[in-house]
Amino acid sequence: MRLVRWAGHAVGTPTQTVLLNLLVADMATPEKKVKDKVKKILEEYGAYYFMPATGGYGKSGVPDLVACLHGKFIGIECKANGGKPTALQEKNLNDIMNHGGIAILVDEGGIDSFKALLGGELPKAGILFDLLTSYKE
């Protein structure tokens, strides 16, 4: 069993550890909630996917999720609360599109459209789907 510290108190019993994990899970960011919904849809359709690690070891600006479905390469950038992609994220999504892949921007309002897109016939050529429902300027 691992011993962790929370608010200056040792947390070591199984019950305390479970409660701490529940507290951390409830603190999910709005963007993480979008990513979780996207992952669930990818799993429903049997897609292969992963979340690239960046944090100093990987390439910056890569999409939040990289997937393959029916032989198609898909890069998915998730946003929430009217967020928009950075210039580097846009560049990477455009690179994916220009090399024949499918690039997707999605937020909480675009989840149903994302699911419908994956449920239909995916395009054969590079394309960018902007499923963001709003931007905050």
Side-chain angles (χ1 to χ4, degrees), residues 25-84:
D26 284 344
M27 296 176 2
T29 64
E31 188 170 302
K32 183 183 181 320
K33 291 176 182 177
V34 173
K35 290 176 190 176
D36 289 345
K37 290 177 182 179
V38 167
K39 288 190 289 187
K40 183 178 178 187
I41 293 167
L42 290 169
E43 289 168 3
E44 285 177 26
Y45 286 108
Y48 168 81
Y49 73 91
F50 65 94
M51 296 178 71
T54 53
Y57 295 102
K59 183 178 177 182
S60 295
V62 296
D64 293 316
L65 291 113
V66 174
C68 185
L69 180 64
H70 307 303
K72 305 291 197 283
F73 180 90
I74 307 169
I76 306 160
E77 183 62 40
C78 300
K79 295 295 175 188
N81 296 333
K84 65 180 190 175

